[in-house]
Amino acid sequence: MFEKVLVANRGEIAVRIIRACRELGLASVAVYSDVDREALHTALADEAYHIGPTPAAESYLNIGRLVEVARRSGAGAVHPGYGFLAESAAFARAVGEAGLVWIGPHPEAIEAMGSKVESRRLMARAGVPITPGTAEPVTSPKAVAEFAAEHGYPVAVKASAGGGGKGFAVARGEEEAGAAFERASREGEAYFGDGAVYLEKYLPHPRHIEIQVVCDRHGNAAHLGERDCSIQRRHQKLVEECPSPAMTPEMRERMGAAAVAAARAVGYDSVGTVEFLVQDEEFYFLEMNTRVQVEHPITEEVTGIDIVQTGIRIATGEPLPFAQEEICWRGHAIEVRLNAEDPASGFAPSPGMVTAYAEPGGPGVRVDSSLRGPGLVPESYDPLFAKLIVRGRDRRDALSRLRRALGEFRVEGIATTLPFFRAILDEESFLSGDYTTGYIAERMGALRMEPAPAAGGAPPARGEGRSLEVEVDGRLFRVRVFGELSGRGGAGVQAPPRRGGGGSRRASAVEGTVAAPMQGTIVKVLVREGQEVAADEPVCILEAMKMESEIRTPKAGRVAKVAVGPGQAVRGGDPLVVVE
């Protein structure tokens, strides 16, 4: 039995694992990059070690450095969390070769399920339903048209090594085949080092439902029920529920059996998640995530099973402490992801310093966070910084508790997804549970969201207002003041302009200059000098906080100058393209 665990991750999942280790009586070792020196996970761990500069490639993705620190610290095991190297078979092997315990499935299972093409083959042999698709990777956009001739549009183009919404594009017609193929391949290469793509029939209005599985190293396996992850943007989940509003006991039994069969097909021996698309009461295998899932807390809330601790116990060689028939589900749980994104501006990234932070509490409320007060949400990593989890007797009770908790949650200094979650609680299809993966595309325009606060504590823009507390005759009043606060405590009539950018996909143009809406890296330039462009045409692709955004020109004209190139880092406001 190991006594110390190195947590090869950061943020809220590192905090979650460190706490699990402490409850098990295990010492924990945190790692941090330059920007994370004062992060919460470094303060909570028993030890913390610097592993390199801020870029993930030089720190959290540096296998050699992570193994070196594990050995130097005396850790006996490594927990990868999710993201970064969590589904890296190479990392799992390196940990094992160093004489350490990998808290996760064996490398061969990671490889088998990491390749979407290979995993589809395995699932078909195991009798798990799969959507129509190609058995081998395809090499050109022509293959998209040929596949569509047999199965029809739309066609999903997926990176074989993809996951988490990366390396995924949809061709809704022949004119989109080339762009979809190129994007999926490019993202597969950029995020996973593998540009191979395959094709699937795209289901237009499915629900995204996943099954939590747990398998030990003694041949025991069970599932812990489902999570509905259908509310997502660009295949990035935002809201998760357990149980699913659309699930029947009969379907849960069938999907659970299919998920266990999927895990057994690769000799799985850890905690993991099998994801399905569900449409017209039929379900189809999507992928398997060979790690702990972001949304695992809602399953913990309704089953009473600590998934992170279970994964650690399995790695020590312990058998599962429960059988399938002993698992029961009580109540309803919902998780919402707090991202540093502005939903009113197309969920544009909004990293920066959180100047005020206060979590909700009370019965049935849980917060897993990378913060416990004001702190930094770095632009270099995923925008997720906290998760709000609520539990109630039933869905109605959980929704009421979510409304109350969202009203108590306070985050200032950056834009967050809080306004989106507050808004959907007034939207009928969400309240009724009648939604699909198309929810945001279909309903976003009708949601009434509060505006994002100005960044860094700056005065808000005209019309947004600022909250103040005023005491009159011993009674406390909370009021909103509009306009700029003067040094005399009054409010002037002139408000400063809202800061430029904010991450909107449509960049502002000053005298024909299309500027970067946020700090990031240019992935690709889509136009050339002398080219004629139409209004709202994309001119380049910008990556910020692990998300790609198309930067569009607000006006038609001729491209007079291209000021950037692929791989170039830019700041908000930097000129990208000049259109005359």
Side-chain angles (χ1 to χ4, degrees):
M1 172 69 175
F2 47 81
E3 298 179 353
K4 184 184 292 187
V5 177
L6 180 132
V7 183
N9 217 299
R10 62 174 303 279
E12 66 87 15
I13 188 58
V15 171
R16 172 73 180 91
I17 297 166
I18 289 166
R19 287 172 170 159
C21 287
R22 182 151 295 156
E23 291 174 9
L24 289 171
L26 302 174
S28 59
V29 180
V31 294
Y32 62 90
S33 68
D34 286 349
V35 77
D36 278 338
R37 191 177 303 274
E38 299 180 7
L40 178 58
H41 71 283
T42 68
L44 292 180
D46 296 292
E47 303 172 34
Y49 291 79
H50 180 248
I51 53 170
T54 297
E58 301 176 54
S59 50
Y60 297 106
L61 293 175
N62 188 330
I63 291 177
R65 181 62 174 149
L66 289 167
V67 172
E68 174 194 342
V69 169
R71 298 179 71 171
R72 175 184 166 195
S73 68
V78 174
H79 198 308
Y82 61 72
F84 293 132
L85 294 167
E87 295 179 281
S88 168
F91 187 34
R93 286 197 176 94
V95 168
E97 290 168 358
L100 309 173
V101 175
W102 170 256
I103 302 178
H106 59 85
E108 292 73 24
I110 297 174
E111 286 179 330
M113 287 303 193
S115 168
K116 301 305 180 283
V117 173
E118 177 61 21
S119 64
R120 282 173 56 84
R121 289 197 199 102
L122 288 169
M123 294 306 98
R125 287 201 294 267
V128 180
I130 61 173
T131 53
T134 57
E136 301 289 343
V138 299
T139 58
S140 74
K142 182 181 178 182
V144 180
E146 293 172 348
F147 183 83
E150 180 179 355
H151 299 283
Y153 285 105
V155 175
V157 187
K158 297 184 175 184
S160 180
K166 303 301 182 186
F168 182 102
V170 178
R172 301 185 184 277
E174 186 174 353
E175 69 282 358
E176 297 180 2
F181 178 89
E182 183 179 344
R183 177 175 177 177
S185 180
R186 181 181 66 248
E187 289 190 1
E189 181 64 41
Y191 291 105
F192 309 103
D194 184 355
V197 301
Y198 70 101
L199 310 177
E200 279 185 4
K201 175 64 180 173
Y202 182 70
L203 302 178
H205 300 291
R207 292 187 85 111
H208 186 156
I209 298 178
E210 62 190 26
I211 302 288
Q212 176 73 55
V213 295
V214 288
C215 308
D216 64 21
R217 296 175 179 176
H218 305 277
N220 303 306
H223 73 85
L224 305 185
E226 83 279 4
R227 297 185 286 256
D228 197 318
C229 311
S230 300
I231 295 184
Q232 48 189 256
R233 172 187 174 267
R234 292 179 61 184
H235 312 287
Q236 296 286 325
K237 302 165 189 172
L238 290 171
V239 182
E240 296 98 2
E241 296 193 57
C242 176
S244 167
M247 185 69 77
T248 64
E250 182 274 335
M251 182 174 282
R252 179 178 298 115
E253 184 176 347
R254 288 196 295 126
M255 288 181 67
V260 171
R264 288 191 183 280
V266 291
Y268 204 75
D269 57 351
S270 186
V271 300
T273 302
V274 183
E275 303 198 347
F276 298 93
L277 295 179
V278 180
Q279 188 163 305
D280 301 327
E281 299 184 359
E282 296 296 333
F283 61 89
Y284 306 93
F285 172 81
L286 178 63
E287 64 182 3
M288 183 175 188
N289 292 309
T290 53
R291 52 172 168 77
V292 65
Q293 197 85 327
V294 177
E295 56 272 20
H296 74 275
I298 55 176
T299 299
E300 294 181 329
E301 292 299 315
V302 299
T303 63
I305 295 172
D306 189 311
I307 292 171
V308 175
Q309 286 193 17
T310 299
I312 295 173
R313 290 182 181 278
I314 289 171
T316 69
E318 291 186 21
L320 290 184
F322 47 78
Q324 185 68 63
E325 58 271 16
E326 297 175 298
I327 298 166
C328 57
W329 297 268
R330 296 185 176 92
H332 194 98
I334 303 173
E335 174 182 291
V336 297
R337 302 189 186 191
L338 272 68
N339 294 340
E341 296 173 334
D342 185 356
S345 297
F347 292 90
S350 178
M353 182 63 66
V354 173
T355 56
Y357 180 82
E359 297 175 354
V365 175
R366 166 180 169 180
V367 178
D368 285 13
S369 179
S370 62
L371 300 173
R372 61 180 173 189
L376 180 67
V377 179
E379 64 186 358
S380 303
Y381 311 121
D382 191 279
L384 174 69
F385 65 91
K387 303 180 304 197
L388 169 61
I389 304 102
V390 299
R391 180 181 180 275
R393 293 184 305 272
D394 51 27
R395 188 170 190 266
R396 182 178 178 178
D397 191 38
L399 288 171
S400 296
R401 188 154 281 161
L402 178 62
R403 187 184 298 274
R404 187 264 296 173
L406 286 170
E408 294 179 14
F409 219 132
R410 181 186 178 201
V411 182
E412 295 182 7
I414 62 172
T416 74
T417 44
L418 279 171
F420 171 77
F421 303 131
R422 292 167 181 151
I424 65 174
L425 286 174
D426 292 322
E427 202 283 313
E428 181 55 36
S429 61
F430 175 71
L431 291 177
S432 67
D434 183 21
Y435 56 81
T436 70
T437 55
Y439 179 87
I440 289 181
E442 297 163 1
R443 307 290 181 178
M444 193 70 186
L447 297 180
R448 300 181 62 183
M449 288 185 292
E450 62 196 58
R462 183 186 301 277
E464 290 184 10
R466 168 178 291 185
S467 296
L468 292 178
E469 294 181 349
V470 181
E471 186 178 297
V472 179
D473 291 334
R475 179 180 176 183
L476 185 65
F477 294 86
R478 292 181 174 84
V479 299
R480 291 185 69 80
V481 178
F482 296 85
E484 182 179 6
L485 296 178
S486 71
R488 298 183 301 277
V493 297
Q494 295 294 324
R498 188 176 177 90
R499 62 189 177 95
S504 174
R505 292 178 61 196
R506 183 192 296 273
S508 61
V510 179
E511 297 181 355
T513 299
V514 181
M518 68 197 92
Q519 182 166 318
T521 302
I522 300 298
V523 175
K524 187 174 184 180
V525 177
L526 304 174
V527 296
R528 62 183 183 281
E529 292 182 1
Q531 178 179 333
E532 296 292 329
V533 293
D536 204 40
E537 183 172 339
V539 296
C540 64
I541 297 173
L542 178 73
E543 180 189 30
M545 295 190 82
K546 295 176 66 179
M547 295 181 64
E548 287 190 0
S549 295
E550 292 179 340
I551 309 303
R552 300 171 180 269
T553 172
K555 73 170 192 175
R558 183 182 63 85
V559 178
K561 182 179 179 181
V562 175
V564 293
Q568 183 174 335
V570 296
R571 294 185 177 275
D574 283 357
L576 306 177
V577 173
V578 177
V579 178
E580 295 180 338

